[in-house]
Amino acid sequence: MGEGRRLSREELHRLVWSTPMSRLASEYGLSGNGLAKICRRLDVPYPPRGFWAKKEAGKPTVETQLPERGSDVPASIEISPTPPRPQRSAPIEEVVEKASTEASTVAVPDTLRSLHPMVQAWIADHRRQQKEQKQRARDRWSWSPKPLGDLTERDKYRFRVTSALLKAIEKAGGEVMDASIAGKLKLRVSGEEVKCVIVEKMTRPLKPPQGDAASWTAFPNHHQTGLYPTGFLRVEITTYLGEGSKRRWIETTNRKVGALLSAIVGELIAAGPVLVDLRRKREEQRRRWQQEAEQRYERQRLAKQDAERWTRFRDLAEVWDQCERVDRFLDQIRVRLVEDDQAEIAGKSLEQWLSWAEAKRTSMDPFSGSVEDLFNRVVHAPEPSRSVL
């Protein structure tokens, strides 16, 4: 699988009519559907189904010419290989295989006898509601809702399949926490909660069915108005499991849920350890983010601390410059001082005032102590002064 390649409409048209779509798609690391979507995006016609079989048999074939490019159609496109789906670990595959093997011994029952207790409770509750409605209908003074219909064949089929699924899950080691009559299941596997649904696959036909086909279930309120069943069940894991896990199974005419049961249970049971692993990865990521945040905060703190220390160092240098100016000023005072001058200012002689100034100058000198003392003043911020009340 190589890197992406840019193709013009003309190049793509020539390729799809000279090489089968499936083979051409694999050369570009795509699926056949993926390549067909690209052709439709560029308005490039491609061979219809059976084209290459006819050509190999020597039958006449017609190549559709490339139409003129519309204003909203790109002239070319970058085709990049589809990234491979991530592979699951060997332990997860072992869980799938073991659970599938356990579930393979469970079959969908032909009748409503010996169903899973939760499904039996659905049927009992349905009967109870029907009985209560009939009782209310006898009382003409009480309001009676629309009668609850009998279980249809589609309802019974879904109940039987759901019962088999629940039994298979429990046999494979899972725990059924809750199962609603609407088809929503809540399981516990490996200590993790896994949710899934088993419901009718619905469709919205252009022409709604009439008669018996319209009353296909006793629970029409479980589905959106205007949707009708396809006649096939859909099973889907609704809990997010990340990439690489199959999440949906849909019945077909030739493949019923009974044949898919072991595969479904294998994925459901494997969802537990998958969720455990996802939780572990999220916790590791959270710890990594927290660690990075702490490291970032520490770098900021140290940078701020270093800046403050440099500011204090420069402040001491400025004080030293002031000391130098004060020394020169004191020298001039001594030169001009008349020794026998007995003048007093505020009760002090000039000599006393000179001593006062020299003491002040000494107290402000950064070098009044050792160099160690000086850098201690740089490193350690002075305690803020407290006012005395």
Side-chain angles (χ1 to χ4, degrees):
M1 186 183 298
E3 296 181 354
R5 175 184 170 187
R6 180 163 289 279
L7 292 178
S8 65
R9 293 179 70 242
E10 293 74 16
E11 288 177 308
L12 183 58
H13 180 264
R14 177 179 56 80
L15 287 171
V16 297
W17 288 96
S18 60
T19 308
M21 291 281 284
S22 58
R23 189 191 312 166
L24 182 62
S26 64
E27 292 178 3
Y28 286 92
L30 302 172
S31 64
N33 287 335
L35 183 57
K37 288 181 181 179
I38 292 175
C39 289
R40 290 193 292 269
R41 175 72 180 90
L42 269 65
D43 194 19
V44 172
Y46 52 88
R49 187 183 299 275
F51 174 86
W52 295 104
K54 289 182 180 179
K55 193 168 185 177
E56 290 178 2
K59 297 181 180 181
T61 56
V62 178
E63 178 180 324
T64 306
Q65 298 300 311
L66 182 67
E68 292 292 330
R69 183 171 68 90
S71 58
D72 59 340
V73 176
S76 63
I77 193 169
E78 182 82 19
I79 298 181
S80 300
T82 302
R85 294 182 66 180
Q87 298 296 317
R88 293 190 297 194
S89 63
I92 297 296
E93 292 295 345
E94 291 177 3
V95 171
V96 173
E97 183 177 355
K98 181 180 178 181
S100 299
T101 301
E102 293 287 344
S104 62
T105 59
V106 179
V108 177
D110 295 327
T111 67
L112 296 182
R113 297 176 182 175
S114 301
L115 296 180
H116 188 278
M118 290 188 176
V119 180
Q120 287 181 338
W122 298 348
I123 297 175
D125 186 62
H126 176 263
R127 290 172 179 168
R128 179 186 58 77
Q129 291 185 48
Q130 280 191 319
K131 184 177 180 180
E132 290 177 354
Q133 287 185 357
K134 290 179 180 179
Q135 183 65 35
R136 286 196 296 268
R138 295 191 188 99
D139 185 359
R140 60 182 180 177
W141 299 108
S142 65
W143 174 82
S144 179
K146 183 178 179 180
L148 186 63
D150 293 333
L151 294 178
T152 66
E153 290 304 314
R154 290 306 301 171
D155 291 327
K156 294 175 182 178
Y157 174 66
R158 181 169 65 89
F159 285 11
R160 290 188 287 110
V161 173
T162 302
S163 173
L165 178 61
L166 297 181
K167 288 185 176 182
I169 288 170
E170 291 177 341
K171 188 169 184 180
E175 176 189 355
V176 181
M177 300 171 61
D178 186 42
S180 75
I181 198 170
K184 296 181 179 180
L185 311 181
K186 186 187 297 184
L187 317 174
R188 188 183 302 280
V189 186
S190 300
E192 297 289 335
E193 183 179 289
V194 180
K195 294 181 179 180
C196 71
V197 295
I198 174 168
V199 293
E200 288 281 343
K201 184 181 185 301
M202 308 297 287
T203 185
R204 193 183 298 275
L206 296 177
K207 185 178 180 181
Q210 303 296 325
D212 294 339
S215 56
W216 61 276
T217 179
F219 313 99
N221 58 324
H222 291 174
H223 308 277
Q224 294 182 17
T225 303
L227 292 181
Y228 294 91
T230 60
F232 302 111
L233 291 181
R234 171 174 64 88
V235 182
E236 183 173 356
I237 301 176
T238 55
T239 300
Y240 176 74
L241 301 176
E243 299 296 331
S245 295
K246 188 169 184 179
R247 300 169 56 87
R248 179 183 294 181
W249 299 263
I250 298 176
E251 282 185 321
T252 64
T253 303
N254 300 322
R255 195 171 177 83
K256 298 297 184 179
V257 169
L260 301 171
L261 200 61
S262 60
I264 295 171
V265 173
E267 294 294 333
L268 283 169
I269 298 301
V274 167
L275 289 173
V276 171
D277 189 56
L278 284 177
R279 185 186 300 278
R280 178 185 59 79
K281 289 179 179 178
R282 286 196 298 267
E283 290 176 353
E284 287 178 355
Q285 188 178 49
R286 181 185 57 80
R287 286 194 296 268
R288 186 164 57 251
W289 285 345
Q290 184 177 0
Q291 185 179 22
E292 290 173 355
E294 291 174 353
Q295 291 174 348
R296 188 165 54 251
Y297 171 79
E298 182 64 12
R299 287 194 298 269
Q300 294 171 351
R301 186 189 69 81
L302 292 176
K304 180 181 179 182
Q305 182 186 71
D306 190 68
E308 292 173 348
R309 289 172 176 177
W310 178 241
T311 298
R312 289 196 291 270
F313 184 85
R314 289 183 300 165
D315 289 344
L316 290 175
E318 291 179 4
V319 172
W320 182 68
D321 280 341
Q322 293 175 11
C323 287
E324 292 290 308
R325 291 199 305 272
V326 171
D327 284 340
R328 293 194 299 272
F329 187 51
L330 289 173
D331 289 342
Q332 286 297 320
I333 292 176
R334 293 189 188 95
V335 170
R336 299 167 186 270
L337 181 65
V338 179
E339 293 185 0
D340 57 350
D341 192 347
Q342 298 299 317
E344 288 189 3
I345 299 174
K348 292 183 180 179
S349 66
L350 295 181
E351 284 291 345
Q352 289 176 320
W353 279 114
L354 183 59
S355 298
W356 170 83
E358 289 174 342
K360 289 293 185 183
R361 184 262 179 238
T362 300
S363 65
M364 69 180 289
D365 189 354
F367 296 108
S368 59
S370 64
V371 175
E372 180 182 354
D373 294 334
L374 185 145
F375 278 102
N376 272 325
R377 295 171 64 183
V378 170
V379 171
H380 304 294
E383 292 290 335
S385 58
R386 297 180 181 178
S387 59
V388 178
L389 298 179

